[in-house]
Amino acid sequence: MAGERFFNDDPVDGSTNAPDLLGRQQYAQHAVALLHQVREQSESGVLALIGPWGSGKSSVLQMTIQHLKNAAGATDTNRWSVAELNPWIYADLESLTLALFSEIRAALPDGNQWSELRRKIGAFGQSISPLGKLTGLLGLDSSELINHVADRIAGDTSASAAKRTAEAALRQAALPVLMVMDDLDRLTPEELLVVFKLIRLVGHLPNVYYLISFDEQTLLDVLQRTDLVGSNDQRAQEFLEKLIQVRLDLPAFRDRDIAAMTTRLLNALLDSHVVSMTADQEQRFAEAYFRHLQDRLRTPRSIKRYFGQAGATLGSLAGEVDIVDFLIVTFLRTSEPGAYRMLGRHRAELTGTSIDPALQRDSSPGERAERWKERLRQAGVAQDNIDGMLGLLGLLFPAVQQAVGNGGDPRAAARRRGIGSQDYFDRYVVFTVPEDDLPEAIFQQALAQMASGAEGDEAAQLLLRLREDTHRIVRRIDQLRADGIPVPAAALLQAMADNYGQLTAQPEAMGLLGADRRVRSFTPSLLLDLPPEERPSVVAAMAATPDGAVLATRTLHSATNPDDTASEHSTTTEPWAAQARDALTERLAEHLAPAAGRPASDITEQDDTLIWMWRHTDPASIRTWLRDRLDHGWELLPLLAALITPQQFPFPLIDNETWAGLDALFTHDDLYTRLTPLLNNSPDTPPPTDQHQTNILQALRDRRPDQHQATPDTPS
């Protein structure tokens, strides 16, 4: 596995350093045998190795060359000289002609006995190569050019004499020369005609044979763009048949060969990045491969290119993403770049976080699937590949799976660190863990440090991310819990309490859930993860600061009122809950002590929140505390103005929850008794000048119980 080469597209020659992994040696030997047969039956010839792009033609050529070179020292019958010519690197006929004869000369053995043959071949090449200038100097097209070449060779000129001299020398030497030309399908139409005419008229020499290589359909398409052939497929076929004596069609790359190569390169990729697949991942990749990828990865080059791209970007993502999702995304990026770019444009919808009303409307799975198909068409995906691409998107994104009517578990993407999760999407498109994210190793180390009480850089990074990206960190911790992995609940509760006032994460798109609400919805579960005997001390420790006391109270109240979190009183009578409430009540009183020395109109927003929290731990003690404040200088209406948040129409100023809270803080009877002069517009009591206070009085009048109704002769 260590010898696999992902980034090298060079052909292999079957040697130890470049082994034949596709079993093509046997076919190369077959090509050598055919060369011997052609040599026995003809003093020159053209053989063509034909196969699709990326199917391994160049490797078969190299193995054929290697077999011929290895046999060079055997008998004269098996002896060949080999030359290689890449015609697509030469700009004109003159350069190509010189190169052809130069390569033939270079292929001849060293030694004085061959020097005369080299000289004669060189003289022939030089005698005709200036004809290449005719194209530029006289403006001749390719058909005129070949006529001039033919005239020079057939006439009584120095060129024809040089050709006869070279032919006689080549016959006498009896040493076959094989001229190998690869990738002819890369040529332009004009260049291709020049090469074919050069082979047929100029290079048709005794004991000079040609082995050319190309993708047939591509070559036919090129020929049909020439004036000589025109857009006639049959004529193009006939043109090739006149030039080529023997076809060597590359053996088909069978499904079992494709699967074997894919498996080998996949294992090499995993081994080189120290990554393994679980049984579930193996099943998911097999589904993606056999249903969608196999038909698109049909040649050795396409398979190597695919895994080469995967190897080029896996790097720092190893262990940070789901390997199957990564491989599918790599396929999209390399084979369907338009569809890959589309992912970013529809990220919110794909990760289930979009608040676009149009996407929330009810529609049938067929309609939603058609919407995705149309997007794929607009992204440039061929019609034949639309269904397969939609299937791949369904494997990646539960939202797409739901769109096509096949269900889909949104939590599954997060559980596997898949691209379909909003927490991991960015990793797949930036090819690393972003700076505002936490790598898995650091995340795990941070939790371990918190569990042991040790301070460390990793724990500090976790706390930083908790403050700046609360939603993601909380979701990741919650995912561990959902997977049955223990988390340091006590340490996390303390960390969240200590940082509760500093949470700055932006609201979630779906539901505009703020960072504090994300924490408040999560901490009750953490508290209940602890053994009951540990809970009171953890709650008390959380309440060491005013902000922490707010979170601790909300956490305890939600944990002890699982079915009715708006209830003013806990429904849990377990001893641990009572101990925790007592500890919280004591902490809340400590944090509110400074407020007792200020006027009611000057209490802070934090004091306001603490007062509301106290009603959840011990309503009787907060009523006593407030009555004492009211009896010693606080004014009730300014206090209510601080406690009751102004509301916007059509929401009531005092809704049912606020109404119940006021009863817990004051009791309705005491509230109305103290406010009777203001509520009844007593002439001895001036009305408030503050509009919010005026609105509160009216809201209380609207809510006034029967026993507190104004007398008939008293204005209401």
Side-chain angles (χ1 to χ4, degrees):
M1 292 299 175
E4 292 290 357
R5 302 182 300 171
F6 294 111
F7 310 114
N8 189 341
D9 197 34
D10 293 339
V12 302
D13 59 8
S15 64
T16 303
N17 294 328
D20 169 33
L21 301 176
L22 302 178
R24 295 291 171 80
Q25 285 278 19
Q26 185 175 359
Y27 193 74
Q29 292 170 352
H30 169 65
V32 170
L34 278 178
L35 283 170
H36 290 313
Q37 293 179 34
V38 171
R39 179 188 176 189
E40 291 173 358
Q41 299 176 26
S42 174
E43 68 174 7
S44 183
V46 180
L47 291 79
L49 180 63
I50 300 172
W53 277 349
S55 58
K57 298 187 298 297
S58 297
S59 293
V60 172
L61 289 179
Q62 289 303 311
M63 284 185 271
T64 301
I65 292 170
Q66 196 62 43
H67 282 304
L68 292 173
K69 289 181 177 179
N70 291 340
T75 65
D76 290 339
T77 304
N78 293 331
R79 191 177 187 188
W80 285 77
S81 288
V82 181
E84 296 183 67
L85 179 64
N86 294 324
W88 45 273
I89 67 175
Y90 298 100
D92 52 41
L93 177 61
E94 178 183 13
S95 301
L96 184 58
T97 303
L98 289 172
L100 173 65
F101 289 101
S102 176
E103 293 295 343
I104 293 175
R105 291 174 69 249
L108 297 175
D110 295 330
N112 293 332
Q113 69 182 98
W114 302 101
S115 59
E116 183 62 20
L117 177 57
R118 281 196 294 270
R119 186 188 66 77
K120 292 177 180 179
I121 292 174
F124 174 47
Q126 291 176 358
S127 69
I128 66 169
S129 61
L131 287 173
K133 297 294 185 181
L134 294 175
T135 304
L137 296 175
L138 303 179
L140 301 177
D141 61 21
S142 57
S143 60
E144 292 176 295
L145 174 60
I146 197 59
N147 291 334
H148 280 275
V149 173
D151 290 344
R152 288 286 299 274
I153 294 174
D156 187 12
T157 65
S158 60
S160 60
K163 184 176 188 292
R164 288 193 296 271
T165 300
E167 288 176 339
L170 284 167
R171 287 192 184 95
Q172 183 178 3
L175 176 65
V177 175
L178 179 65
M179 180 63 64
V180 179
M181 295 184 182
D182 196 4
D183 295 325
L184 293 190
D185 43 32
R186 297 188 187 186
L187 299 173
T188 66
E190 195 68 22
E191 292 169 341
L192 184 61
L193 282 184
V194 169
V195 170
F196 282 167
K197 292 167 183 177
L198 181 64
I199 293 174
R200 188 172 180 184
L201 294 174
V202 180
H204 189 73
L205 300 169
N207 285 319
V208 176
Y209 300 85
Y210 295 87
L211 178 55
I212 61 178
S213 172
F214 53 82
D215 169 56
E216 185 171 29
Q217 189 55 57
T218 302
L219 198 72
L220 290 173
D221 292 341
V222 174
L223 280 173
Q224 290 180 70
R225 298 202 303 271
T226 65
D227 294 334
L228 183 63
V229 173
S231 58
N232 187 315
D233 185 66
Q234 182 63 35
R235 185 170 173 80
Q237 290 277 6
E238 292 173 354
F239 185 92
L240 280 184
E241 291 173 1
K242 290 179 181 179
L243 179 75
I244 299 168
Q245 279 73 56
V246 180
R247 288 176 59 104
L248 288 165
D249 289 281
L250 200 65
F253 197 44
R254 301 172 301 168
D255 286 349
R256 63 179 297 175
D257 300 326
I258 295 172
M261 185 175 185
T262 300
T263 300
R264 187 175 70 250
L265 292 181
L266 173 61
N267 289 333
L269 175 72
L270 298 178
D271 290 346
S272 64
H273 290 82
V274 197
V275 175
S276 60
M277 278 190 179
T278 65
D280 178 66
Q281 287 174 324
E282 289 178 352
Q283 182 177 355
R284 287 185 63 236
F285 183 73
E287 179 182 359
Y289 176 76
F290 287 110
R291 292 183 60 182
H292 308 295
L293 303 186
Q294 186 179 36
D295 289 342
R296 304 287 298 276
L297 301 173
R298 303 299 301 179
T299 66
R301 178 177 294 162
S302 64
I303 297 172
K304 285 189 65 176
R305 178 173 178 264
Y306 170 54
F307 284 104
Q309 290 298 316
T313 51
L314 182 54
S316 61
L317 287 178
E320 304 291 347
V321 296
D322 177 70
I323 186 63
V324 178
D325 279 23
F326 171 80
L327 289 169
I328 295 175
V329 172
T330 299
F331 175 80
L332 297 181
R333 183 166 54 85
T334 56
S335 299
E336 294 288 357
Y340 172 74
R341 290 191 295 270
M342 181 189 73
L343 302 183
R345 294 195 298 272
H346 301 289
R347 169 183 171 155
E349 183 178 354
L350 289 169
T351 57
T353 58
S354 173
I355 57 173
D356 184 352
L359 299 176
Q360 305 305 317
R361 300 191 191 105
D362 291 336
S363 59
S364 68
E367 292 172 335
R368 294 194 296 269
E370 186 54 41
R371 183 171 65 237
W372 279 109
K373 288 182 179 181
E374 181 57 31
R375 289 170 176 171
L376 290 170
R377 292 187 193 99
Q378 293 177 1
V381 178
Q383 184 61 40
D384 290 345
N385 297 328
I386 292 290
D387 289 337
M389 289 297 300
L390 190 62
L392 285 178
L393 292 181
L395 290 175
L396 294 174
F397 300 102
V400 176
Q401 200 170 14
Q402 292 171 350
V404 298
N406 293 331
D409 178 10
R411 291 185 66 93
R415 189 176 300 116
R416 65 174 187 262
R417 302 172 197 158
I419 190 175
S421 165
Q422 60 181 318
D423 295 328
Y424 299 100
F425 183 97
D426 288 342
R427 298 184 180 186
Y428 290 84
V429 296
V430 300
F431 313 125
T432 189
V433 178
E435 291 184 358
D436 58 355
D437 194 359
L438 274 185
E440 298 305 312
I442 292 178
F443 184 67
Q444 296 295 338
Q445 185 63 26
L447 293 178
Q449 291 173 356
M450 295 178 72
S452 64
E455 296 183 359
D457 291 340
E458 290 80 5
Q461 291 184 55
L462 180 83
L463 295 180
L464 176 63
R465 298 268 68 81
L466 176 65
R467 291 192 293 270
E468 297 184 353
D469 198 355
T470 307
H471 298 289
R472 190 200 309 249
I473 294 300
V474 169
R475 281 193 298 264
R476 288 176 66 176
I477 296 171
D478 197 27
Q479 187 61 57
L480 293 177
R481 294 181 59 257
D483 292 341
I485 300 174
V487 298
L492 287 169
L493 284 167
Q494 188 63 55
M496 292 180 182
D498 291 344
N499 292 275
Y500 188 55
Q502 305 174 54
L503 302 178
T504 58
Q506 294 297 316
E508 288 281 67
M510 184 63 71
L512 299 179
L513 183 62
D516 66 320
R517 289 187 176 274
R518 169 66 68 182
V519 169
R520 287 162 51 184
S521 67
F522 177 58
T523 51
S525 299
L526 282 179
L527 181 63
L528 295 177
D529 284 346
L530 294 168
E533 63 273 15
E534 295 182 16
R535 296 169 189 170
S537 60
V538 170
V539 169
M542 289 174 66
T545 64
D547 285 332
V550 172
L551 179 61
T553 305
R554 287 170 168 163
T555 299
L556 178 63
H557 185 66
S558 295
T560 55
N561 292 270
D563 299 324
D564 183 16
T565 56
S567 172
E568 298 302 317
H569 307 289
S570 170
T571 59
T572 298
T573 59
E574 297 178 48
W576 74 266
Q579 295 174 29
R581 284 194 294 270
D582 290 344
L584 270 179
T585 299
E586 183 177 348
R587 292 288 195 186
L588 290 168
E590 292 175 0
H591 295 318
L592 279 170
R598 296 191 296 269
S601 58
D602 291 342
I603 66 172
T604 66
E605 183 178 348
Q606 186 177 78
D607 297 333
D608 174 17
T609 305
L610 289 170
I611 290 171
W612 281 112
M613 291 299 100
W614 194 340
R615 83 189 193 277
H616 288 316
T617 65
D618 188 1
S621 64
I622 184 58
R623 284 196 294 267
T624 299
W625 188 87
L626 287 172
R627 286 170 182 167
D628 185 61
R629 302 285 78 71
L630 292 172
D631 292 341
H632 291 83
W634 276 18
E635 297 181 40
L636 180 55
L637 190 55
L639 175 60
L640 291 177
L643 292 174
I644 299 174
T645 303
Q647 295 289 341
Q648 297 294 324
F649 180 83
F651 301 103
L653 182 61
I654 300 179
D655 57 16
N656 291 337
E657 183 178 354
T658 304
W659 178 247
L662 291 174
D663 190 44
L665 292 175
F666 302 98
T667 75
H668 292 151
D669 285 343
D670 191 46
L671 192 67
Y672 280 96
T673 298
R674 290 176 181 270
L675 291 175
T676 296
L678 286 169
L679 291 169
N680 293 340
N681 294 322
S682 171
D684 297 330
T685 305
T689 58
D690 181 81
Q691 185 60 47
H692 182 45
Q693 295 182 17
T694 300
N695 294 340
I696 290 174
L697 288 175
Q698 185 57 48
L700 288 172
R701 291 187 188 103
D702 295 340
R703 283 244 180 208
R704 182 159 42 191
D706 291 342
Q707 62 267 31
H708 293 292
Q709 292 292 331
T711 59
D713 57 345
T714 303
S716 60

